[in-house]
Amino acid sequence: MNHLKNTLRQCVIVFGCLAVAELFVSLTGIRFPSALIGMLLLTLLLKLGWVKLDWVQGIADFLLGHLGLFFVPPGVALMLHFELIRAEWLPIAVATLVSTVAVLALTGWAYQLARRCK
Amino acid sequence: MSALSNALAGNPAIPISLTIGAFWAAQVLQQRLKLMLLNPILMATAAIILLLQLAGIPYESYHEGAQYLEFLLKPAIVALGVPLYLQLEQIKKQAVLILLSQLVACVIGVVSAVLIARWLGASHAVAISLAPKSATTPIAIEVTRLMGGIPALSAIIVILTGIFGAVCGLTVLRWLAIKSPIARGLALGAAAHAVGTSHAMQLNRKLGAYSSLGLIVNGTLTGLLTPYLLHWLG
């Protein structure tokens, strides 16, 4: 039964971080994704040693290993916006491709340049 | 509403198993054919849309059950705290360089996407939905929802960005004479998030580690700064 107890602990930690973050967002009213606050909270708890790595490693591997699956339902909502995409496919496609190349180039150059200057 | 649509709406197990089944089948297909372009997210999404359209089932009936899977995106972002913690030492050693390059990535990614889209005549909602395209999907969806864009459009744009970055990213970096594996990894993760990172992971561990760092830091910065950048862009 030991592994089941650990599973519950893993769930409590990850969902607990999310719950605290949600509470924080709704109480303060800040416009920031709650899940990111939960992520930083989990990192902090691990760093402080209040949460041990092996307490959360299993559930983290599970969630991150299946990340793609959770993208499918929001993706399916695309069927609600076919009209919009038909009307604006050109700006969407060009902005996506050009901006992605720009990010690749400038991130790489920024790192290399900054390291040379250092 | 048809009987089929009613059954789907009333039973979360049907859309959930449909989604998991489609994703699993797509993953198996991609592994067999070894083609990056056959991204399982893309294929599963397309298959489900096709099925719903053919059966005449409205999205709402599907979503009533599928929302439980979608919810797991949030704890999944929280779980990113684990790889972030594992790389804290690495981050500390090069904190300034990493932060600087990711700050450039975040600002360029958001500003260039919005400006290009507007220049080509995109509507306000579409331009906003393009802004967080280099962040990983859960972050991008949250940002878009927060800013009044179209989360579903962001989700698809993010996935397409990731596939493009994974397939063409290294070629682009080679053309641009970006040779350092650290710079390449950071750039891949920053531009193509989790999809680029999983590709980098397959090629080389160091590339993968820095790519996941780029994914996390750029994702976080994009989540933090996009509202301000959009405000500044007007």
Side-chain angles (χ1 to χ4, degrees):
Chain A
M1 287 304 274
N2 202 29
H3 65 288
L4 282 183
K5 196 173 77 192
N6 286 341
T7 307
L8 287 180
R9 179 167 65 191
Q10 301 198 7
C11 289
V12 169
I13 293 168
V14 171
F15 283 90
C17 281
L18 182 59
V20 170
E22 297 277 12
L23 205 63
F24 178 75
V25 168
S26 57
L27 288 181
T28 58
I30 62 164
R31 306 185 88 197
F32 191 67
S34 56
L36 272 185
I37 298 174
M39 177 193 86
L40 295 173
L41 179 62
L42 180 61
T43 312
L44 182 72
L45 292 175
L46 284 163
K47 179 69 191 152
L48 292 173
W50 294 3
V51 167
K52 296 272 173 283
L53 188 58
D54 63 329
W55 292 1
V56 284
Q57 186 107 60
I59 194 172
D61 287 347
F62 173 80
L63 287 170
L64 295 176
H66 299 88
L67 203 55
L69 171 65
F70 313 137
F71 291 161
V72 176
V76 173
L78 191 74
M79 65 190 274
L80 298 172
H81 305 288
F82 277 148
E83 290 294 306
L84 190 71
I85 291 170
R86 201 171 298 140
E88 302 193 29
W89 67 271
L90 187 72
I92 291 172
V94 175
T96 302
L97 296 186
V98 175
S99 173
T100 302
V101 172
V103 172
L104 281 168
L106 291 164
T107 313
W109 280 336
Y111 177 85
Q112 288 193 340
L113 201 72
R115 200 174 60 170
R116 229 168 283 149
C117 294
K118 208 174 170 184
Chain B
M1 261 200 282
S2 68
L4 205 60
S5 161
N6 275 332
L8 211 69
N11 295 293
I14 301 173
I16 288 174
S17 49
L18 181 71
T19 309
I20 298 177
F23 187 77
W24 175 67
Q27 215 171 33
V28 171
L29 196 67
Q30 190 198 29
Q31 279 159 4
R32 287 269 164 84
L33 300 173
K34 298 197 191 325
L35 262 177
M36 272 304 287
L37 269 176
L38 290 179
N39 181 282
I41 306 166
L42 206 63
M43 284 195 295
T45 305
I48 291 171
I49 290 180
L50 196 69
L51 195 76
L52 294 178
Q53 296 261 329
L54 287 177
I57 298 167
Y59 171 74
E60 287 72 20
S61 305
Y62 166 77
H63 186 71
E64 205 159 302
Q67 62 179 321
Y68 300 109
L69 272 182
E70 186 174 341
F71 167 74
L72 290 177
L73 273 173
K74 285 189 170 195
I77 312 181
V78 174
L80 277 173
V82 172
L84 185 61
Y85 164 74
L86 288 174
Q87 289 174 42
L88 271 185
E89 289 307 310
Q90 200 81 42
I91 298 174
K92 254 190 254 164
K93 262 187 254 163
Q94 308 203 47
V96 180
L97 288 180
I98 291 169
L99 216 67
L100 192 79
S101 70
Q102 295 307 311
L103 203 62
V104 169
C106 167
V107 174
I108 292 298
V110 172
V111 173
S112 67
V114 172
L115 289 184
I116 293 168
R118 277 195 195 158
W119 177 59
L120 291 170
S123 60
H124 186 63
V126 168
I128 285 181
S129 310
L130 276 158
K133 64 160 194 3
S134 283
T136 190
T137 309
I139 294 171
I141 289 176
E142 285 289 300
V143 169
T144 303
R145 188 172 294 146
L146 225 61
M147 298 309 298
I150 305 158
L153 188 61
S154 278
I156 287 296
I157 291 168
V158 166
I159 293 161
L160 292 175
T161 301
I163 296 169
F164 173 66
V167 175
C168 307
L170 280 176
T171 315
V172 171
L173 290 168
R174 208 172 297 129
W175 283 347
L176 297 169
I178 292 162
K179 293 195 183 90
S180 140
I182 300 179
R184 284 183 172 185
L186 287 170
L188 263 184
H193 54 91
V195 183
T197 301
S198 70
H199 181 62
M201 233 35 131
Q202 289 167 356
L203 296 174
N204 171 327
R205 287 212 131 212
K206 190 175 182 188
L207 201 66
Y210 279 95
S211 183
S212 65
L213 199 53
L215 140 80
I216 291 167
V217 180
N218 185 44
T220 311
L221 286 175
T222 304
L224 278 168
L225 300 179
T226 305
Y228 299 99
L229 287 170
L230 286 175
H231 182 74
W232 174 67
L233 286 167

